[in-house]
């Protein structure tokens, strides 16, 4: 009774709390907020577990501007919703545990029933086997009796009349005693029953036993009909033998259990038949609770379910505005309003607490990261300000205002390259943004500053530092082709030839520039290739040097320096023909010049001498091959390139001497003697020439013959 009274009192209190809540809602709709708050507080006093009361009270506080009180009530509302959800989860878990326990009990009962059924089936099988054996024995005895001859019957009668009759009876009695001794319990081995031993065998026999039950029952009925026809003695013997057989069969089971099974077998026959039919129809476990449930239990459970459904229907948590996400959103709005008030009043610590709470509830709540960025900029915490503005951009990457804020933040920290990246993004998203002009001016000023600094470093011959400044300037203004030109020259000066070549090639083919400057760019590019080739030539990589020089010839095919170096490379690699062609090109280009410096004249003489030496090599080859005419032509060509080498004249004189051109031979020899009066080769050849004159009977040429003067004049005129 006390429990009933307590339940009634609690129910009345809940009903009264809902009435107060409804009155508060009426005042809330009529904009009498203070009265609504008072009724909400009364409802909470009566029932502090309903989240809707706290929610409506928080909404009322929001309308009156009391954001702190609203935040407290929102948070309590969320806690109550969490408690309700936890309670529901706990109830569901208990239900699941209860269902699992019921299933476990049901399975155990099923197992026990199946074990009993299998035991009965095994007993019936053994009984049938023993009965069949007894029938066979009886049939054999009957056949033996009928087959006896008449002689045997007469002998038996005479034998019975004799004195040996009592002896026969004693033998029979002994036999009977032996048979009875089999029934003695001492001769039987009894072993205690172990359920684990038979467990595996029973599981293996489950499938076959269900199919053989009906056949065994039919066999039992047929055997019973045959047993009725037998005599009383046979019945008595059968009972005795059956008891012995059963005792032997149940030797693994204790005697008490076997007796119980015998008593309960008749009572369980109907249950077994129903169980078998059920197992054949379905494999699912039977819900024992549903089978054994009484009418009163069913009605009580039904009443409990109805009460739970009514409680859920009457609960305020079913309303959509009391769901946790909605309440969380309203709480975030209240915190946002409170945080803004703190920011306006300059209390940044409290504002940070409010906005951080919002982010702990909802990371994607709008404008929170932006306000936090502004707060941290105001309190000069640059790292956190940068973190939150990056969060803004990650959440909304198509808003140009965020990039403007970050660009200004980078500008404060003098991070010019990052400012430029944000500037390009602003141009992409909103080219007409009002904050874009000051950012552009800042970038222009910084590019001019970097250019001036680069020029200063070049004058001081700090080329590495100058290149770094030019890199920064190019990053800010990638369309200024002069920056690439300057950087390419500086890279060549510090022997970074590949980077220098890439700058000039980009300038020539990819970057917009003044096309009138293309010849100058090409010439510089060819000189860079030449310097790169000389660098490789000094390192002994002549093949790569030849490739680089040929590449430089593409941009400036008449560059005399490249022609000379290419000829030298071919000459060192013993490509004499290619070297000669390059030297000839070099000489032809020099002839086009009207004025030459002393260095150019000296270089021109050296290349002519090299050409003469190469051609004289061909002339000597012809001379060895006794092709004197071709040898004379080649020596003449060599003399045309370089006329101050006495070896060219001596070689041509020898070739003329073999062709008996003594006058031409004398001319070449007189030239050699003028250039080198003590030349031994010339003197020996003159002696041979004089001897040749004497032997042929011709007049000897005197030492100061006027022809010598003519030869000298000819040579001097040349």
């Amino acid at each position: 009774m006390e429990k009933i009274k307590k339940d009634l009192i609690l129910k009345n209190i809940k009903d009264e709390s809902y009435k107060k809540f409804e009155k508060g809602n009426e005042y809330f709709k009529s904009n009498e907020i203070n009265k609504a708050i008072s009724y909400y507080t009364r409802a909470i006093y009566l029932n502090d577990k309903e989240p809707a009361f706290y929610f409506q009270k928080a909404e009322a506080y929001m309308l009156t501007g009391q954001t702190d009180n609203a935040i407290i009530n929102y948070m309590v509302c969320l806690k109550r919703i969490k408690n309700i959800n936890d309670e529901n989860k706990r109830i569901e878990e208990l239900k699941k545990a209860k269902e699992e326990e019921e299933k476990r009990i049901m399975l155990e009962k099923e197992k026990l029933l199946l074990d009993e059924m299998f035991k009965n089936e095994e007993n019936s099988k053994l009984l049938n086997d023993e009965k069949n054996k007894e029938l066979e024995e009886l049939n054999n005895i009957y056949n033996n009796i009928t087959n006896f001859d008449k002689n045997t019957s007469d002998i038996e009668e005479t034998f019975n009349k004799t004195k040996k009759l009592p002896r026969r009876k004693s033998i029979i009695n002994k036999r009977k005693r032996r048979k009875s001794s089999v029934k003695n319990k001492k001769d039987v081995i009894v072993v205690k029953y172990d359920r684990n031993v038979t467990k595996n065998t029973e599981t293996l026999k489950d499938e076959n036993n269900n199919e053989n039950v009906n056949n065994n029952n039919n066999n039992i009925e047929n055997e019973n009909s045959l047993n009725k026809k037998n005599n009383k003695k046979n019945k008595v013997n059968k009972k005795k033998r059956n008891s012995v057989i059963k005792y032997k069969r149940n030797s693994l089971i204790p005697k008490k259990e076997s007796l119980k099974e015998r008593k309960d077998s008749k009572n369980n026959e109907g249950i077994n038949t129903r169980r078998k039919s059920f197992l054949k129809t379905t494999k699912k476990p039977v819900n024992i609770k549903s089978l054994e449930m009484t009418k009163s239990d069913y009605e009580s459970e039904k009443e409990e379910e109805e009460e739970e459904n009514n409680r859920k229907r009457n609960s305020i948590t079913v309303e959509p505005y009391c769901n946790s996400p909605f309440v969380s959103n309203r709480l975030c709005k209240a915190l946002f309003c409170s945080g803004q008030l703190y920011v306006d009043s300059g209390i940044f610590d409290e504002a940070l607490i409010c906005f951080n709470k919002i982010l702990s509830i909802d990371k994607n709540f709008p404008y929170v990261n932006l306000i936090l960025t502004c707060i941290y900029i105001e309190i000069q915490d640059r790292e956190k300000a940068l973190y939150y503005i990056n969060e803004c951009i990650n959440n909304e990457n198509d808003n140009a205002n965020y990039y403007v804020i970050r660009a200004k933040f980078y500008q404060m920290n003098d991070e010019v390259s990052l400012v430029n990246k944000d500037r390009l993004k602003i141009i992409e998203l909103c080219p007409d943004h009002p904050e874009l002009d000051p950012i552009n001016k800042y970038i222009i000023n910084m590019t001019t500053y970097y250019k001036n600094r680069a020029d200063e470093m070049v004058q001081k011959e700090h080329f590495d530092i100058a290149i770094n400044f030019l890199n920064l300037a190019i990053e800010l203004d990638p369309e200024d082709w002069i920056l690439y030109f300057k950087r390419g020259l500086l890279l060549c000066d510090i022997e970074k030839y590949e980077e220098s070549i890439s700058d000039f090639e980009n300038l020539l083919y990819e970057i917009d520039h003044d096309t009138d400057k293309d010849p100058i760019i090409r010439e510089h590019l060819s000189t860079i290739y030449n310097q790169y080739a000389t660098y490789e030539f000094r390192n002994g990589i002549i093949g790569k040097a030849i490739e680089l020089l040929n590449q430089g010839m593409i941009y400036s095919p008449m560059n005399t320096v490249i022609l000379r170096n290419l000829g030298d490379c071919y000459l060192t690699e013993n490509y004499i023909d290619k070297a000669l062609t390059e030297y000839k090109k070099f000489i032809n280009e020099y002839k086009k010049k009207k004025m030459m410096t002393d260095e150019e004249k000296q270089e021109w003489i050296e290349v002519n001498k090299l050409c003469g030496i190469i051609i004289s090599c061909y002339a000597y080859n012809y001379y060895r091959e006794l092709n004197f005419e071709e040898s004379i032509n080649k020596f003449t060509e060599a003399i045309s390139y370089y006329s101050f080498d006495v070896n060219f004249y001596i070689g041509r004189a020898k070739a003329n001497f073999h062709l008996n051109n003594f006058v031409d031979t004398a001319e070449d020899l007189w030239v050699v003697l003028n250039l080198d009066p003590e030349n031994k080769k010339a003197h020996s050849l003159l002696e041979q020439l004089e001897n040749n004159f004497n032997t042929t009977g011709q007049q000897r040429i005197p030492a100061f013959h006027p022809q010598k003067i003519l030869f000298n004049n000819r040579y001097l005129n040349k």
Side-chain angles (χ1 to χ4, degrees):
M1 292 295 290
E2 290 178 358
K3 187 178 180 181
I4 293 166
K5 286 180 182 179
K6 188 177 180 180
D7 293 334
L8 289 171
I9 291 164
L10 291 172
K11 188 176 181 183
N12 290 326
I13 290 168
K14 279 188 178 180
D15 293 336
E16 188 66 24
S17 67
Y18 286 116
K19 287 178 183 178
K20 300 289 183 186
F21 179 67
E22 288 174 358
K23 285 184 180 180
N25 288 332
E26 289 176 0
Y27 284 116
F28 187 84
K29 290 177 183 177
S30 61
N31 291 325
E32 296 179 4
I33 306 300
N34 293 321
K35 289 183 179 180
I37 290 168
S38 66
Y39 276 103
Y40 291 144
T41 53
R42 291 174 189 174
I44 290 166
Y45 179 76
L46 295 173
N47 185 7
D48 60 347
K49 293 182 180 179
E50 188 61 41
F53 301 165
Y54 296 99
F55 181 80
Q56 286 297 114
K57 189 177 179 182
E59 290 288 321
Y61 277 128
M62 284 293 290
L63 291 174
T64 58
Q66 299 177 19
T67 55
D68 294 334
N69 292 325
I71 289 164
I72 292 165
N73 283 283
Y74 280 131
M75 292 176 76
V76 175
C77 178
L78 288 170
K79 287 179 181 178
R80 296 291 180 270
I81 291 167
K82 185 180 178 183
N83 292 329
I84 291 166
N85 292 327
D86 293 337
E87 186 66 23
N88 291 327
K89 286 180 181 178
R90 190 178 66 80
I91 291 164
E92 288 177 358
E93 288 175 356
L94 289 172
K95 282 183 180 179
K96 288 181 181 178
K98 190 176 180 182
E99 289 176 357
E100 289 177 356
E101 186 66 23
E102 289 174 355
K103 286 180 182 179
R104 187 181 65 77
I105 294 164
M106 181 267 294
L107 290 170
E108 287 180 356
K109 289 182 178 180
E110 288 284 336
K111 189 176 180 183
L112 290 171
L113 291 170
L114 289 170
D115 291 337
E116 291 176 358
M117 183 180 70
F118 293 145
K119 288 175 185 177
N120 291 324
E121 287 175 359
E122 288 177 358
N123 290 327
S124 63
K125 281 183 180 181
L126 291 169
L127 287 170
N128 291 326
D129 294 334
E130 293 295 328
K131 286 176 182 178
N132 291 324
K133 288 179 181 179
E134 289 175 359
L135 288 171
E136 287 178 359
E137 289 177 358
L138 290 169
N139 288 322
N140 291 324
I141 292 164
Y142 178 76
N143 290 323
N144 290 323
I145 291 165
T146 54
N147 290 325
F148 279 153
D149 295 330
K150 292 179 180 181
N151 295 322
T152 57
S153 62
D154 294 335
I155 292 164
E156 286 178 358
E157 289 176 358
T158 56
F159 185 76
N160 288 325
K161 291 177 181 181
T162 60
K163 292 179 181 180
K164 294 179 180 179
L165 185 61
R167 187 178 179 182
R168 186 176 179 82
K169 288 180 180 179
S170 65
I171 292 164
I172 292 164
N173 290 324
K174 284 181 182 180
R175 288 179 182 175
K176 287 180 180 179
R177 284 175 186 174
R178 285 177 185 175
K179 288 181 180 178
S180 63
S181 67
V182 176
K183 297 179 183 178
N184 193 0
K185 294 180 181 179
K186 293 179 181 180
D187 297 329
V188 179
I189 296 168
V190 177
V191 181
K192 288 184 179 181
Y193 178 70
D194 189 3
R195 191 176 295 275
N196 293 322
V197 174
T198 58
K199 191 172 182 181
N200 294 322
T201 57
E202 286 174 356
T203 54
L204 293 169
K205 293 177 181 178
D206 286 340
E207 296 179 356
N208 296 321
N209 286 330
N210 290 322
E211 295 178 357
N212 295 322
V213 170
N214 294 319
N215 294 323
N216 291 325
N217 289 323
N218 293 323
N219 291 324
I220 291 164
E221 290 175 358
N222 292 323
E223 288 172 2
N224 288 324
S225 64
L226 290 170
N227 289 325
K228 287 178 182 180
K229 294 178 182 180
N230 292 323
N231 294 321
K232 290 181 180 180
K233 291 180 181 180
N234 292 325
K235 288 181 180 180
V236 173
N237 292 323
K238 274 184 182 182
K239 288 179 181 179
K240 291 178 180 180
R241 288 174 182 174
N242 284 329
S243 64
V244 174
I245 290 160
K246 283 185 178 180
Y247 190 69
K248 287 180 180 179
R249 204 271 303 172
N250 292 320
S251 61
L252 295 173
I253 303 169
K255 189 174 180 181
K256 292 180 181 180
E257 284 185 346
S258 65
L259 292 170
K260 286 181 182 179
E261 287 176 0
R262 288 175 192 174
K263 289 178 183 179
D264 296 332
S265 62
K266 292 181 180 180
N267 295 323
N268 292 326
E269 282 178 359
I271 294 166
N272 289 327
T273 54
R274 279 179 282 168
R275 184 66 61 191
K276 289 170 191 176
S277 63
F278 176 74
L279 289 169
K280 287 180 182 179
T281 54
T282 181
K283 292 182 181 179
K284 293 182 180 179
V286 179
N287 192 353
I288 292 167
K289 188 177 179 181
S290 63
L291 293 173
E292 297 177 356
M293 188 184 289
T294 61
K295 190 174 181 181
S296 61
D297 294 332
Y298 180 75
E299 288 177 354
S300 63
E301 188 174 347
K302 193 172 182 181
E303 287 176 359
E304 288 177 358
E305 288 179 356
E306 287 179 356
E307 287 178 359
E308 287 180 359
N309 291 325
N310 290 324
R311 186 175 63 79
K312 288 180 180 179
R313 288 172 187 169
N314 295 323
S315 179
I316 304 299
T317 56
V318 177
E319 297 295 328
Y321 58 80
C322 281
N323 290 331
S324 179
F326 184 79
V327 177
S328 299
N329 191 7
R330 297 295 296 171
L331 175 61
C332 290
K333 287 183 179 179
L335 289 167
F336 190 83
C337 294
S338 179
Q340 280 185 329
L341 292 172
Y342 285 125
V343 170
D344 293 336
S345 59
I347 306 170
F348 296 118
D349 295 333
E350 296 294 331
L352 289 172
I353 292 166
C354 292
F355 289 117
N356 286 320
K357 284 182 181 178
I358 292 168
L359 291 177
S360 65
I361 297 166
D362 186 6
K363 291 182 180 180
N364 297 321
F365 197 83
Y367 304 114
V368 175
N369 290 316
L370 181 62
I371 293 169
L372 285 170
T373 304
C374 296
I375 290 168
Y376 282 116
I377 289 169
E378 189 69 25
I379 63 176
Q380 294 181 356
D381 192 347
R382 294 179 180 179
E383 292 182 358
K384 290 185 178 180
L386 182 61
Y387 172 78
Y388 284 109
I389 194 64
N390 287 326
E391 288 292 321
C392 291
I393 291 167
N394 291 328
N395 295 327
E396 192 177 356
N397 58 3
D398 57 350
N399 193 343
N401 294 318
Y402 295 152
Y403 292 100
V404 170
I405 293 167
R406 191 168 71 175
K408 289 182 178 180
F409 179 78
Y410 286 139
Q411 186 175 350
M412 290 167 62
N413 296 326
D414 293 329
E415 296 177 359
V416 185
S417 60
L418 297 174
V419 174
N420 188 45
K421 288 180 181 178
D422 287 336
R423 180 182 70 88
L424 296 173
K425 193 70 179 178
I426 295 162
I427 292 167
E428 182 182 352
L429 294 173
C430 184
D432 298 329
H433 198 280
E435 296 292 331
L436 190 60
D437 290 333
I439 295 170
N440 288 328
K441 288 179 181 178
Y442 171 75
I443 295 296
I444 291 165
N445 292 327
M446 292 305 297
T447 51
T448 53
Y449 170 75
Y450 289 140
K451 289 177 185 178
N452 294 327
R453 291 288 294 162
D455 293 333
E456 290 176 2
M457 293 297 111
V458 169
Q459 291 176 0
K460 294 178 181 180
E461 295 184 356
H462 299 306
F463 298 129
D464 294 331
I465 300 170
I467 288 166
N468 291 327
F469 280 115
L470 288 172
N471 289 330
L472 294 171
I474 288 167
E475 188 176 358
L476 298 177
D477 189 9
E479 295 180 356
D480 191 355
W481 65 274
I482 296 171
L483 297 174
Y484 292 96
F485 187 84
K486 290 180 178 179
R487 189 174 70 177
L489 294 174
L490 292 173
L491 289 168
C492 182
D493 291 334
I494 62 173
E495 294 184 351
K496 292 183 179 180
Y497 299 109
E498 291 181 355
E499 296 177 6
S500 177
I501 289 164
S502 65
D503 274 343
F504 275 101
E505 287 180 349
N506 289 328
L507 177 60
L508 192 62
Y509 297 113
E510 295 179 3
I511 299 166
D512 292 332
H513 62 282
D514 188 3
T515 55
D516 294 334
K517 305 293 182 180
D518 283 346
I520 298 169
I521 295 167
R522 287 177 177 277
E523 187 176 355
H524 280 287
L525 190 57
S526 65
T527 55
I528 293 165
Y529 273 111
N530 182 37
Q531 291 182 8
Y532 192 13
T534 54
Y535 175 78
E536 295 295 334
F537 183 82
R538 288 170 186 168
N539 292 325
I541 307 170
I542 299 168
K544 189 174 181 181
I546 291 167
E547 292 178 0
L548 293 169
L549 290 169
N550 286 318
Q551 192 70 26
M553 290 286 290
I554 295 169
Y555 297 103
S556 180
M558 299 301 171
N559 191 339
T560 55
V561 178
I562 293 174
L563 291 170
R564 168 68 190 277
N565 290 332
L566 189 59
D568 292 338
C569 290
Y570 282 132
L571 191 62
T572 53
E573 290 290 316
N574 291 322
Y575 299 137
I576 297 170
D577 294 334
K578 293 180 179 179
L580 183 61
T581 54
E582 298 300 328
Y583 287 142
K584 286 180 178 180
K585 289 179 183 177
F586 173 84
I587 291 165
N588 292 326
E589 289 297 320
Y590 261 67
K591 286 180 179 179
K592 294 177 182 178
K593 294 182 179 181
K594 294 180 179 179
M595 295 292 293
M596 287 190 292
T597 61
D598 294 334
E599 292 179 356
E600 289 177 349
K601 288 179 180 179
Q602 187 66 31
E603 188 177 7
W604 184 71
I605 292 166
E606 288 177 359
V607 173
N608 281 312
K609 186 177 181 180
L610 288 171
C611 287
I613 291 167
I614 292 167
I615 294 166
S616 68
C617 291
Y618 289 110
Y620 283 119
N621 288 329
Y622 286 122
Y623 182 81
R624 292 189 191 95
E625 293 173 359
L626 303 178
N627 191 354
F628 300 116
E629 292 179 357
E630 289 295 329
S631 178
I632 291 165
N633 293 327
K634 289 295 179 182
F635 279 121
T636 305
E637 187 178 356
I639 290 165
S640 66
Y641 282 101
Y642 186 70
S643 59
F644 296 97
D645 195 341
V646 294
N647 293 315
F648 301 161
Y649 293 102
I650 291 169
R652 190 171 65 176
K654 287 180 179 180
N656 285 318
F657 182 77
H658 286 289
L659 291 175
N660 296 321
N661 295 325
F662 299 116
V663 176
D664 295 330
T665 303
E667 288 180 356
D668 291 331
L669 291 172
W670 289 120
V671 172
V672 171
L673 291 171
N674 279 320
L675 294 173
D676 186 11
E678 296 179 356
N679 195 327
K680 293 179 180 181
K681 291 181 180 180
H683 285 291
S684 64
L685 192 59
L686 276 173
E687 288 179 358
Q688 290 178 7
L689 186 62
E690 289 177 355
N691 292 327
N692 194 2
F693 270 97
N694 293 326
T695 53
T696 53
Q698 294 180 0
Q699 189 178 0
R700 183 179 177 183
I701 298 171
F704 298 99
H705 196 272
Q707 195 173 2
K708 182 179 179 181
I709 297 167
L710 291 172
F711 293 160
N712 290 331
N713 289 328
R714 286 180 187 176
Y715 177 74
L716 293 172
N717 288 327
K718 287 181 182 180

